[in-house]
C-alpha cells in the first residue's frame, strides 16, 4: 500500500466542503470566551477497493459550553474574566475528512469516537476508519519504533465523510473555567457536549441535510446511545447508530462485580468470552472445531443453568455447586477447585491471571488473544493488559506523527491519548421520563429505546469481538435483548461479531470484515438513491 500524500493548501476548495457561514469569525470574536475555534485545511487521497478517493481534511476545534449556558448573556467582560471564574467551556478537537467531488447534501457523514471515559479518538482514527492506519502485531507485542503508517484501504471514505472527535480534555481537546471538571466529566455532561459539538459542526460545514451516523466504541457506545436521543431533542434525527464493544448498562459490566453482591449478570455475560478465550488458547478439555457453534451453546447455558445456579446464592446445595464447577471447568479450562473458591463467580482479572498461570502468562483485557509475562505470580488478578502494553506506543506515535506532519496541526500542543477521569466521573444519569438523576449505575437503554420509538426509521448496528473481557460481546446481545421496544423495532437492530477483541480492527482480516459490514449498513440506510 502506498503512503498517503497530503498537500497543505489553506485556500483549497472541494465540492463536498461548503464555505463556512460568513459570520463564523464574527461569532467567535463576539463570544470571546476562554478558547478560540481554529482550523487547518489540507488535502489527500486514499485508495479503497481499487478506486482512488481524493478528500479534503479539516483539523480544528469548536468551542462548546456546559448545559445551561446562555450565549445571549455573553459580554466583553466575560472575555477578560479570570479563567477560574469564567463560565466553563470546552475546546473540542476534530479531524474531519470530506470526499472531493461529491455533493454534500446527499453525502453521509459519520461522527466517530472512542470511550474511556477519558479516551481520545486516536484508536479508531489510526486503527480503523481514517485515511491512514498504523501497522501493529496481532496477538503479540509490537516492536518499538519506527512504526509503519500506511494508506488505509479500509477507510470509511468510500461511503461516508468521517469526523473523529476527541472528548473534552482528551487529545487536543481542553476544558477551562469555573467547575470545569464538574461541567464536562460525567455521563450526561459528556452527552450534552457532544450534542452541542455536532450541532455546531453541521452548521459550520453546512451538513444539516446529510444522512447522519454515530460510531462509538466501548464507553463511546454509552455516549452514542444517549447522544442519539439528545440529538433528537435538538431536532436532529440520525439514520443509524453504530456500536462497537457495548456497555449500555453499567450493571452488566464485569468490572469488580464482587463489590456488587446479588448482581450476577456480569458473570453471566462474561462466561462466553471466557469460553472463547479457553478455546483460543487450547485450554478446553474437549475443544470443538466450530467456535461460533460452541459459543451459541455457552450463551444458552449461561442464561439458563448457570444463571439459575447463581440466583440461588448461598442456598445452592453443595452437590449442585460441585456439579456446576465441573461444567464451568469444561467451558473455561479453569480447575474445579479454583472455581469452587470463586463461588462460581469468575472476575475477569482473575481469569486473565489464572488461565495460563502454569506458563507464567497473563492474557489481555481488551483482547485475550494477547499474552504477556505475569508481573506477580502471587497476585489474585492481572496487573496490566498485555494488549494495551503491546500496541499503545505504536498508536500514540502514529497519531502524533500523522497529525503534526500531514494534517499540520498541534504545534506546541500535547496530544493526550487518555486522561485519568474514570474514578472521578459523574456516573449519575437522568433517563427519559424520570425527571431526576437516578441513584444507580448508569443505564442508557431507556434513552436508546425512546430514540427508536420517536424515530422508528432509525437503525442500530451492534458489533463486538469474541475475545474482549472488558466489554464482553455477549453483554451487547444481553443488553439489547432487554431493550424496551416492540418486536417491529427490534428488527431495526442487527448484530455482527468477530474473531478479535475489544478493538476488533487490530486484526487486519477483521478490519476488512468490519469495514464491509459498516459500509453495507450505511449504504442500506442512508436514503440516497
Amino acid at each position: 500500500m502506498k503512503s498517503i500524500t497530503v498537500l497543505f493548501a489553506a485556500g483549497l476548495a472541494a465540492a463536498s466542503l461548503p464555505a463556512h457561514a460568513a459570520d463564523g469569525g464574527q461569532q467567535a470574536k463576539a463570544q470571546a470566551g476562554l478558547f478560540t475555534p481554529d482550523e487547518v485545511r489540507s488535502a489527500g487521497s486514499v485508495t479503497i477497493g481499487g478506486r482512488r478517493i481524493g478528500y479534503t481534511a479539516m483539523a480544528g476545534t469548536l468551542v462548546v459550553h456546559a448545559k445551561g449556558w446562555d450565549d445571549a448573556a455573553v459580554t466583553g467582560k466575560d472575555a477578560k474574566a479570570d479563567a477560574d471564574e469564567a463560565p466553563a467551556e470546552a475546546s473540542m478537537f476534530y479531524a474531519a475528512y470530506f470526499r472531493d467531488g461529491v455533493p454534500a447534501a446527499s453525502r453521509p457523514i459519520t461522527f466517530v469516537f472512542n470511550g474511556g471515559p477519558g479516551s481520545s479518538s486516536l484508536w479508531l482514527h489510526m486503527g480503523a476508519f481514517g485515511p491512514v492506519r498504523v501497522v501493529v502485531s496481532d496477538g503479540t507485542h509490537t516492536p518499538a519504533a519506527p512504526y509503519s503508517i500506511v494508506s488505509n484501504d479500509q477507510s470509511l471514505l468510500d461511503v461516508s465523510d468521517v469526523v473523529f472527535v476527541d472528548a473534552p480534555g482528551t487529545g487536543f481537546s481542553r476544558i477551562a473555567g469555573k467547575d470545569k471538571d464538574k461541567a464536562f466529566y460525567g455521563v450526561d455532561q459528556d452527552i450534552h457536549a457532544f450534542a452541542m459539538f455536532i450541532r455546531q459542526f453541521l452548521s459550520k460545514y453546512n451538513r444539516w441535510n446529510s444522512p447522519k451516523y454515530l460510531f462509538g466504541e466501548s464507553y463511546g457506545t454509552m455516549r452514542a446511545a444517549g447522544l442519539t436521543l439528545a440529538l433528537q431533542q435538538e431536532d436532529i434525527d440520525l439514520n443509524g447508530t453504530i456500536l462497537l464493544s457495548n456497555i449500555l448498562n453499567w450493571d452488566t459490566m464485569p468490572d469488580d462485580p464482587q463489590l456488587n453482591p446479588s448482581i450476577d449478570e456480569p458473570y453471566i455475560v462474561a462466561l462466553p468470552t471466557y469460553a472463547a478465550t479457553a478455546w483460543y488458547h487450547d485450554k478446553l478439555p474437549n475443544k470443538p472445531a466450530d467456535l461460533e457453534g460452541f459459543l451459541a451453546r455457552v450463551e444458552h447455558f449461561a442464561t439458563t443453568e448457570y444463571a439459575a445456579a447463581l440466583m440461588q446464592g448461598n442456598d445452592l446445595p453443595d452437590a449442585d455447586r460441585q456439579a456446576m464447577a465441573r461444567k464451568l471447568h469444561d467451558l473455561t479450562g479453569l480447575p474445579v477447585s479454583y472455581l469452587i473458591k470463586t463461588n462460581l463467580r469468575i472476575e475477569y482479572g482473575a481469569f486473565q491471571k489464572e488461565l495460563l498461570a502454569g506458563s507464567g502468562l497473563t492474557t489481555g483485557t481488551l483482547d485475550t488473544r494477547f499474552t504477556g509475562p505475569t508481573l506477580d505470580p502471587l497476585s489474585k488478578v492481572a496487573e496490566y493488559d498485555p494488549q494495551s502494553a503491546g500496541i499503545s506506543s505504536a498508536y500514540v506515535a502514529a497519531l502524533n506523527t500523522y497529525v503534526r506532519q500531514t494534517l499540520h496541526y498541534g504545534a506546541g500542543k500535547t496530544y493526550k491519548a487518555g486522561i485519568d477521569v474514570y474514578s472521578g466521573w459523574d456516573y449519575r444519569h437522568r433517563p427519559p421520563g424520570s425527571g431526576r438523576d437516578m441513584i444507580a449505575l448508569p443505564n442508557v437503554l431507556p434513552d436508546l429505546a425512546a430514540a427508536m420509538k420517536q424515530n422508528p426509521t432509525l437503525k442500530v448496528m451492534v458489533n463486538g469481538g469474541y475475545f474482549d473481557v472488558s466489554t464482553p460481546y455477549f453483554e451487547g446481545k444481553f443488553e439489547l435483548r432487554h431493550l424496551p421496544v416492540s418486536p417491529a423495532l427490534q428488527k431495526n437492530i442487527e448484530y455482527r461479531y468477530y474473531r478479535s477483541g475489544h478493538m476488533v480492527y487490530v486484526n487486519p482480516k477483521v478490519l476488512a470484515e468490519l469495514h464491509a459490514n459498516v459500509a453495507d449498513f450505511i449504504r442500506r440506510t442512508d436514503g440516497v438513491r
Side-chain angles (χ1 to χ4, degrees), residues 105-108 211 239 523 525-529:
S106 60
R107 175 73 170 161
N239 295 64
R523 289 189 184 103
T525 59
D526 64 10
V528 177
R529 297 181 181 178

Side-chain angles (χ1 to χ4, degrees), residues 305-354:
E305 291 184 59
Y306 184 48
L310 296 184
M311 288 179 65
Q312 293 183 61
N314 295 333
D315 289 341
L316 183 69
D318 288 343
D320 292 346
R321 191 180 306 274
Q322 289 287 340
M324 180 55 62
R326 289 191 292 272
K327 291 179 180 179
L328 289 174
H329 164 72
D330 291 340
L331 299 178
T332 66
L334 296 176
V336 171
S337 59
Y338 177 81
L339 290 164
I340 291 295
K341 291 178 182 178
T342 69
N343 196 25
L344 308 179
R345 292 161 173 81
I346 311 167
E347 299 175 48
Y348 76 72
F351 177 83
Q352 291 175 252
K353 167 72 166 38
E354 186 66 23

Side-chain angles (χ1 to χ4, degrees), residues 90-106:
S91 173
M92 292 180 66
F93 175 75
Y94 62 91
Y97 301 93
F98 305 101
R99 182 171 179 171
D100 295 338
V102 180
S106 60

Side-chain angles (χ1 to χ4, degrees), residues 188-244:
D188 290 350
Q189 299 94 313
D190 175 81
I191 289 171
H192 174 77
F194 271 79
M196 295 304 98
F197 172 90
I198 291 174
R199 188 177 69 177
Q200 277 196 60
F201 189 96
L202 297 177
S203 294
K204 180 180 178 68
Y205 293 105
N206 193 20
R207 300 305 294 267
W208 279 92
N209 206 34
S210 296
K212 304 171 192 69
Y213 297 85
L214 302 179
F215 188 109
E217 176 184 330
S218 191
Y219 181 84
T221 63
M222 176 163 278
R223 177 188 297 137
L227 184 54
T228 300
L229 180 61
L231 288 171
Q232 278 187 16
Q233 294 167 346
E234 296 293 327
D235 297 316
I236 301 171
D237 278 358
L238 298 174
N239 295 64
T241 297
I242 307 169
L243 310 175
L244 172 61

Side-chain angles (χ1 to χ4, degrees), residues 238-253:
L238 298 174
N239 295 64
T241 297
I242 307 169
L243 310 175
L244 172 61
S245 303
N246 278 38
I247 172 61
L248 305 185
N249 176 5
W250 217 260
D251 268 322
T252 63
M253 187 177 68

Side-chain angles (χ1 to χ4, degrees), residues 477-497:
K477 283 188 182 181
F478 186 90
E479 289 173 343
L480 272 298
R481 284 178 182 175
H482 292 79
L483 188 70
V485 296
S486 67
L489 289 178
Q490 291 171 25
K491 294 179 181 178
N492 287 356
I493 306 171
E494 59 188 76
Y495 303 84
R496 297 288 184 271
Y497 293 103

